[in-house]
């Protein structure tokens, strides 16, 4: 399942795999070998809040501090990699382990950590979400398509010449914008940027300093500039804020108008990921991108990066995303991050800090049915992206082996299996390892096969986008085809081109690969927060060569779901510029869809599939038009996040350095259940528990809301007061929720909801409760 991208500057062809498990820039932490000096590595010195506003003085302070450890001003100048001076204070520099230890003991230094590296792991969706450009009453048009909002993306770069980044009919660049369009290899900043792409930077000093030698762009098929060589950053950028491009498709499939969620918004790219060793993003570079984006003036940050399990805590400075995003949110910037692609296993969700808006991936109501006609004239429908006008007819084969030998599943097929030449192969996938399956499909092609029918679990079932007939069917359908093969001495098959189907009976599901909760870091904080389209999303990619079909491609992953929500956040920010990141997050979560638009339930793909719950999709599937009029919001500010950090038991001094004012946690540790989230999660309910929430009225001044609770039998929920009355003088009201359990055994989670409604607005908070009786042996 893949397509080939060919870089015009290099004759090497790179296979780009369209695998849900790989299409997020998934952060695998590891250390690169230091080639230049094995004793000196890059360390990140984190100093927390800025002590003053003079950035030049702050930079000098960093150099002076480093000089006291390294011994001279000259050595300090040569060793420093970055000075972090906008959103927070700190620097990255090359030093020995002993020097790093000495530096960590200096006054004002919170933490010194070794630089780490992260390894690199859409037409229908906006109409599906109710944001058709032809409707005058939806959020898209009410917000003037996100006019004036700036979306920043931390990614692999961008291809600025594409039509999807044209600035026709866009307003002027906002006067508050302080960013730059940085020139570099095959990237002229004076020409690349316009009123759509208003800024582009690249960050590689952290990578090069750790690697110990200059990054060779020729060897790695990359550009020393903001230009995108992989396609990932271009794809996510066009989803978030691309301009209108009519008649876009993948070789005729998914034909329609491509655009971003906020086509009136401006974009700024921060390239932090490079193609060394298959794709890496250095911690120091990611943190520097956050620092510059905060200073540049972005309104939204879209980050399709995620950390591996186990996670670091929010105050552990070995994680650049929790720290960088905290400072961004403190400045009013909403940070939207991918939940990760490690599903469907539980406790795999990433980017779990409560100030981050964490996005899971869901499907849309679109499929690509592809007829498979057997030699007995029986036609079966598979799923594929088999394009073109011609059918493919050939003998149909299955790799039969003796019962004494291991079965020849799909993953075992090899390029030297000459029995596949000139034939169409049926195989059964035995593993969820998508990379192995992709290799097997390419082996069929290399062996001279004319096509392949892959039989696999329907829970992990997405069509391949490649110029080779590769169809998917369920195990049940595959077995029927096998029965036909075994029933005749000369089995034949005809594969017909795919077509695009929209609407019923295709339903919405949480994607198989999408990482699931509960959070392994803080189980009482519901994650993910929301789900959005992330499966087979058609969007722009660099025009490497003709095989990319007009510079549009289908990609899948929470990387694709994240910019969907980032675009929606931009629309909301344009409509409500004074709303905090927490208010925007609340509006999105409490108005989400928990059932299909046709009325049916939403399932979570897995083995087996199940009804989706809050650990699969948070509040539900994003519902942008309702989010534009939520009625009530659960608002939060930096003090509320400090309450969370205190509730987690973090050290006072660490918390203090994240804030702009002194912090002393109360002697009695606050309850994490009282953090003012638009959700309630109790991982260990031992006795009746009372928690508090506060809502702010953002609807009509004179409003009356009544509470209703839905929950499984045995969990009791009481809300006091049951009625909230708002007026011009009363805009914020607190209420309590008492939750108790009649269950007398330790079991799994029970799910329900608390909903406030005034007859017009429906403000729904998901509830997740697990009973713990006596001593837990789990």
């Amino acid at each position: 399942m893949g397509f080939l991208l060919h870089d015009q500057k290099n004759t090497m062809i790179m296979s780009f795999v369209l695998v849900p498990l790989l299409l997020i820039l998934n952060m695998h932490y590891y250390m690169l070998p230091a080639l230049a000096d094995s004793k000196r590595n890059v360390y990140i010195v984190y100093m927390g809040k800025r002590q003053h506003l003079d950035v030049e003085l702050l930079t000098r302070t960093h150099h002076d501090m480093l000089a006291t450890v390294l011994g001279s001003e000259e050595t300090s100048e040569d060793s420093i990699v970055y000075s972090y001076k906008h959103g927070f204070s700190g620097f990255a520099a090359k030093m020995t382990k002993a020097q790093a230890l000495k530096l960590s003991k200096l006054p004002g230094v919170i933490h010194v950590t070794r630089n780490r590296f992260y390894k690199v792991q859409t037409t229908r969706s906006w109409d599906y979400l109710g944001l058709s450009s032809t409707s005058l009453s939806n959020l898209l048009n009410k917000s003037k398509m996100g006019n004036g909002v700036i979306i920043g993306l931390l990614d692999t770069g961008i291809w600025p010449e594409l039509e999807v980044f044209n600035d026709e009919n866009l307003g002027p660049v906002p006067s508050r914008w302080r960013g730059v369009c940085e020139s570099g290899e095959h990237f002229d900043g004076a020409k690349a940027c316009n009123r759509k792409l208003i800024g582009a930077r690249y960050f590689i000093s952290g990578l090069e300093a750790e690697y110990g030698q200059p990054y060779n762009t020729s060897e790695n098929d990359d550009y020393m500039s903001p230009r995108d060589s992989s396609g990932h950053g271009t794809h996510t950028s066009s989803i978030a804020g691309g301009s209108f491009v009519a008649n876009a498709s993948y070789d005729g499939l998914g034909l329609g108008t491509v655009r971003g969620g906020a086509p009136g918004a401006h974009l700024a790219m921060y390239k932090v990921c490079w193609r060394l060793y298959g794709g890496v993003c250095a911690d120091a570079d990611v943190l520097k991108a956050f620092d510059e984006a905060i200073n540049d003036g972005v309104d939204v940050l879209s980050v399709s990066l995620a950390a591996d399990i186990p996670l670091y805590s929010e105050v552990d400075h070995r994680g650049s995303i929790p720290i960088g995003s905290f400072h961004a949110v403190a400045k009013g910037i909403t940070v939207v991050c991918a939940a990760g692609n490690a599903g469907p296993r539980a406790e795999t969700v990433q980017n779990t800090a409560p100030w981050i808006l964490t996005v899971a991936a869901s499907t849309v109501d679109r499929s690509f049915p592809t007829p498979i006609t057997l030699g007995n004239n029986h036609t079966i429908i598979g799923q594929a992206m088999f394009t073109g006008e011609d059918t493919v007819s050939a003998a149909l084969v299955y790799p039969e082996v003796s019962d004494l030998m291991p079965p020849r599943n799909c993953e075992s097929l090899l390029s030297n299996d000459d029995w596949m030449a000139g034939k169409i192969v049926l195989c059964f996938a035995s593993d969820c390892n998508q990379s192995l399956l992709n290799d097997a499909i390419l082996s069929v092609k290399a062996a001279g096969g004319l096509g392949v029918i892959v039989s696999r679990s329907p829970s992990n079932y997405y069509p391949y986008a490649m110029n080779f007939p590769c169809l998917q069917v369920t195990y049940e359908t595959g077995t029927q085809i096998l029965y036909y093969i075994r029933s005749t001495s000369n089995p034949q098959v005809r594969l017909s081109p795919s077509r695009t189907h929209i609407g019923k009976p295709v339903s919405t599901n949480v994607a198989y690969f999408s990482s699931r909760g509960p959070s392994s870091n803080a189980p009482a904080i519901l994650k993910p927060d929301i789900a959005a389209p992330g499966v087979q999303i058609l969007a722009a990619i660099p025009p490497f060569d003709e095989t990319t079909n007009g510079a549009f491609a289908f990609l899948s992953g929470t990387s694709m779901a994240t910019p969907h929500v980032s675009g929606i956040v931009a629309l909301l920010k344009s409509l409500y510029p004074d709303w905090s990141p927490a208010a925007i997050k609340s509006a999105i979560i409490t108005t989400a869809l928990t059932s299909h638009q046709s009325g049916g339930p939403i399932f979570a793909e897995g083995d087996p599939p199940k009804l989706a719950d809050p650990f699969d999709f948070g509040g539900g599937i994003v519902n942008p038009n309702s989010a534009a009029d939520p009625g009530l919001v659960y608002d939060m500010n930096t003090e509320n996040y400090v309450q969370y950090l205190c509730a987690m038991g973090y050290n006072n001094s660490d918390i203090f350095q994240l804030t702009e004012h002194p912090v002393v946690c109360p002697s009695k540790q606050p309850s994490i259940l009282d953090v003012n989230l638009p959700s309630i999660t109790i991982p260990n309910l031992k006795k009746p528990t009372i928690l508090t929430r506060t809502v702010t009225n953002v609807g009509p001044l004179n409003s009356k809301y009544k509470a209703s609770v839905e929950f499984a039998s045995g969990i009791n929920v009481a809300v006091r007061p049951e009625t909230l009355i708002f007026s011009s003088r009363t805009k914020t009201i607190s209420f309590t929720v008492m939750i108790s359990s009649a269950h007398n055994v330790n079991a799994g989670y029970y799910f329900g909801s608390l909903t406030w409604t005034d007859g017009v607005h429906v403000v729904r908070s998901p509830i997740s409760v697990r009973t713990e009786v006596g001593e837990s042996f789990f």
Side-chain angles (χ1 to χ4, degrees):
M1 182 163 71
F3 62 95
L4 296 177
L5 298 183
H6 180 260
D7 194 324
Q8 295 170 338
K9 62 177 284 189
N10 197 305
T11 57
M12 182 180 71
I13 293 181
M14 175 179 178
S15 177
F16 229 78
V17 180
L18 300 187
V19 187
L21 289 173
L22 298 177
L23 278 175
I24 182 176
L25 287 177
N26 205 11
M27 296 178 168
H28 295 281
Y29 297 135
Y30 66 98
M31 303 298 179
L32 288 177
L35 301 185
D37 186 346
S38 61
K39 294 182 179 180
R40 297 178 73 235
N41 298 104
V42 176
Y43 287 84
I44 298 173
V45 182
Y46 181 73
M47 302 171 66
K49 70 170 186 175
R50 296 187 300 172
Q51 300 301 317
H52 41 72
L53 299 179
D54 188 334
V55 295
E56 294 299 326
L57 179 59
L58 201 60
T59 301
R60 189 70 261 157
T61 300
H62 296 160
H63 281 274
D64 291 344
M65 176 178 285
L66 184 59
T68 63
V69 173
L70 300 187
S72 71
E73 292 277 347
E74 293 76 12
T75 306
S76 170
E77 291 285 346
D78 292 340
S79 298
I80 203 156
V81 177
Y82 286 125
S83 181
Y84 306 120
K85 54 197 175 186
H86 299 301
F88 44 90
S89 178
F91 57 91
K94 293 195 71 173
M95 65 190 83
T96 65
K97 185 176 181 180
Q99 290 167 337
L101 179 62
K102 183 177 179 180
L103 192 59
S104 69
K105 297 177 181 179
L106 294 181
V109 175
I110 300 172
H111 209 288
V112 178
T113 58
R114 173 80 183 274
N115 188 32
R116 297 168 308 153
F117 287 83
Y118 310 139
K119 187 175 181 181
V120 175
Q121 298 259 300
T122 122
T123 52
R124 171 61 184 164
S125 55
W126 294 116
D127 287 351
Y128 168 78
L129 292 174
L131 294 181
S132 169
S133 60
T134 61
S135 171
L136 299 179
S137 61
N138 62 18
L139 172 60
L140 179 67
N141 287 294
K142 286 181 179 178
S143 66
K144 298 181 180 178
M145 301 191 183
N147 178 54
V149 176
I150 303 170
I151 304 172
L153 299 101
L154 274 62
D155 218 299
T156 66
I158 194 167
W159 199 276
E161 293 84 5
L162 295 178
E163 181 65 18
V164 76
F165 301 126
N166 79 78
D167 63 357
E168 185 178 351
N169 298 322
L170 281 185
V173 176
S175 58
R176 68 183 185 281
W177 176 245
R178 295 183 295 273
V180 299
C181 198
E182 189 174 4
S183 294
E185 185 180 5
H186 292 284
F187 196 97
D188 184 347
K191 297 178 180 179
C193 288
N194 55 16
R195 288 172 298 160
K196 168 57 69 178
L197 179 65
I198 63 173
R201 299 176 183 264
Y202 65 101
F203 304 90
I204 196 171
S205 298
L207 173 85
E208 289 187 323
E210 187 73 36
Y211 188 49
Q213 65 184 39
Y215 177 62
N216 190 316
T217 57
S218 297
E219 287 184 0
N220 293 287
D221 206 24
D222 207 342
Y223 301 94
M224 187 64 74
S225 72
R227 186 170 295 281
D228 183 14
S229 65
S230 75
H232 188 278
T234 298
H235 201 270
T236 57
S237 298
S238 64
I239 294 171
S243 300
F244 288 85
V245 178
N247 298 316
S249 70
Y250 174 82
D251 214 9
L253 291 177
L255 180 65
T257 298
V258 161
R259 64 171 173 85
H266 309 281
L267 297 174
M269 171 55 65
Y270 300 85
K271 181 177 178 178
V272 295
C273 299
W274 305 84
R275 295 177 76 167
L276 186 68
Y277 298 140
V280 292
C281 324
D283 222 352
D285 297 332
V286 171
L287 197 58
K288 183 61 175 175
F290 269 108
D291 186 41
E292 293 296 340
I294 292 169
N295 185 63
D296 286 348
V298 302
D299 299 299
V300 186
L301 274 172
S302 189
V303 185
S304 289
L305 314 174
D308 276 340
I309 302 296
L311 304 176
Y312 290 113
S313 73
E314 290 87 355
V315 296
D316 190 320
H317 305 295
R318 287 172 288 183
S320 56
I321 290 180
I323 299 301
S325 62
F326 181 92
H327 290 286
V329 170
K331 300 294 185 181
I333 302 167
T334 299
V335 180
V336 186
C337 293
N341 291 349
R345 293 177 294 119
E347 297 185 330
T348 54
V349 65
Q350 297 138 58
N351 291 318
T352 59
W355 47 84
I356 291 174
L357 182 48
T358 309
V359 186
S362 61
T363 63
V364 296
D365 60 344
R366 179 176 60 194
S367 64
F368 302 98
T370 308
I372 304 169
T373 304
L374 304 177
N376 59 8
N377 288 323
H378 178 55
T379 298
I380 296 170
I381 300 298
Q383 290 288 320
M385 289 184 175
F386 174 30
T387 62
E389 300 292 334
D390 299 329
T391 62
V392 176
S393 299
L396 178 61
V397 294
Y398 170 73
E400 297 272 16
V401 294
S402 167
D403 290 342
L404 299 178
M405 297 176 62
R408 292 296 306 272
N409 52 51
C410 295
E411 294 84 356
S412 71
L413 299 178
L414 302 173
S415 59
N416 60 1
D417 284 333
D418 54 10
W419 55 268
M420 298 188 294
K423 299 179 178 65
I424 294 172
V425 180
L426 169 70
C427 66
F428 288 76
S430 63
D431 200 310
C432 290
N433 188 321
Q434 194 66 52
S435 180
L436 291 177
L437 191 54
N438 285 323
D439 290 342
I441 294 165
L442 293 175
S443 293
V444 175
K445 184 178 182 180
L450 299 182
V452 60
I453 301 172
V454 176
S455 178
R456 66 187 309 184
S457 167
S459 296
N460 190 13
Y461 189 60
Y462 306 109
Y464 299 87
M466 64 188 303
N467 294 326
F468 182 67
C470 177
L471 287 72
Q472 291 186 93
V473 297
T474 64
Y475 282 136
E476 178 184 358
T477 301
T479 301
Q480 294 176 18
I481 297 174
L482 181 58
Y483 287 166
Y484 160 71
I485 293 175
R486 289 172 171 171
S487 71
T488 179
S489 60
N490 184 30
Q492 299 288 313
V493 67
R494 183 174 72 252
L495 307 180
S496 301
S498 306
R499 61 183 187 271
T500 303
H501 175 84
I502 293 175
K504 296 179 181 180
V506 184
S507 63
T508 298
N509 300 318
V510 176
Y512 183 92
F513 58 79
S514 188
S515 290
R516 313 295 167 89
S519 165
S520 59
N521 188 41
I525 305 299
L526 178 63
K527 291 289 176 174
D529 294 305
I530 197 71
V535 176
Q536 297 298 351
I537 304 302
L538 184 68
I541 60 168
F544 296 118
D545 68 6
E546 62 184 9
T547 65
T548 57
N549 299 292
F552 295 96
F554 288 99
L555 302 185
S556 297
T558 50
S559 278
M560 283 67 246
T562 299
H564 274 90
V565 174
S566 300
I568 293 167
V569 169
L571 299 181
L572 293 172
K573 189 70 175 178
S574 179
L575 196 60
Y576 305 109
D578 296 329
W579 277 16
S580 69
I584 291 174
K585 176 179 175 180
S586 174
I588 288 174
I589 292 174
T590 60
T591 59
L593 297 172
T594 56
S595 60
H596 191 262
Q597 293 170 340
S598 63
I602 294 172
F603 281 81
E605 297 173 346
D607 298 314
K610 66 179 182 67
L611 289 174
D613 61 52
F615 293 147
D616 301 313
F617 61 9
I621 308 297
V622 66
N623 183 11
N625 290 318
S626 292
D629 186 22
L632 306 176
V633 296
Y634 295 79
D635 206 358
M636 295 178 69
N637 55 29
T638 303
E639 291 183 3
N640 298 112
Y641 299 128
V642 170
Q643 175 195 354
Y644 159 76
L645 296 170
C646 289
M648 288 289 287
Y650 293 139
N651 183 278
N652 276 349
S653 61
D654 284 347
I655 299 173
F656 163 71
Q657 297 296 339
L658 283 175
T659 67
E660 297 297 327
H661 53 79
V663 171
V664 178
C665 290
S667 56
K668 181 181 178 181
Q669 186 171 324
S671 171
I672 196 170
L673 301 180
D674 288 330
V675 177
N676 201 43
L677 296 168
S679 59
I680 297 171
T681 305
I682 306 179
N684 52 353
L685 182 65
K686 299 179 179 179
K687 60 183 180 180
T689 297
I690 298 176
L691 54 92
T692 302
R693 289 289 186 272
T694 301
V695 288
T696 300
N697 180 27
V698 293
L701 288 178
N702 299 306
S703 302
K704 181 178 180 180
Y705 284 83
K706 292 186 177 181
S708 64
V709 173
E710 292 183 4
F711 227 105
S713 176
I715 302 294
N716 303 306
V717 180
V719 183
R720 297 290 183 273
E722 295 181 343
T723 302
L724 305 178
I725 301 176
F726 296 91
S727 65
S728 59
R729 304 181 66 179
T730 304
K731 297 181 179 180
T732 299
I733 300 177
S734 296
F735 61 90
T736 62
V737 182
M738 186 176 76
I739 301 179
S740 60
S741 174
H743 298 290
N744 56 11
V745 295
N746 294 329
Y749 279 88
Y750 294 88
F751 302 102
S753 63
L754 162 63
T755 301
W756 293 101
T757 181
D758 63 351
V760 176
H761 303 92
V762 177
V763 189
R764 181 184 180 276
S765 292
I767 305 177
S768 311
V769 176
R770 181 172 62 184
T771 300
E772 187 173 301
V773 179
E775 184 177 356
S776 174
F777 296 95
F778 294 96

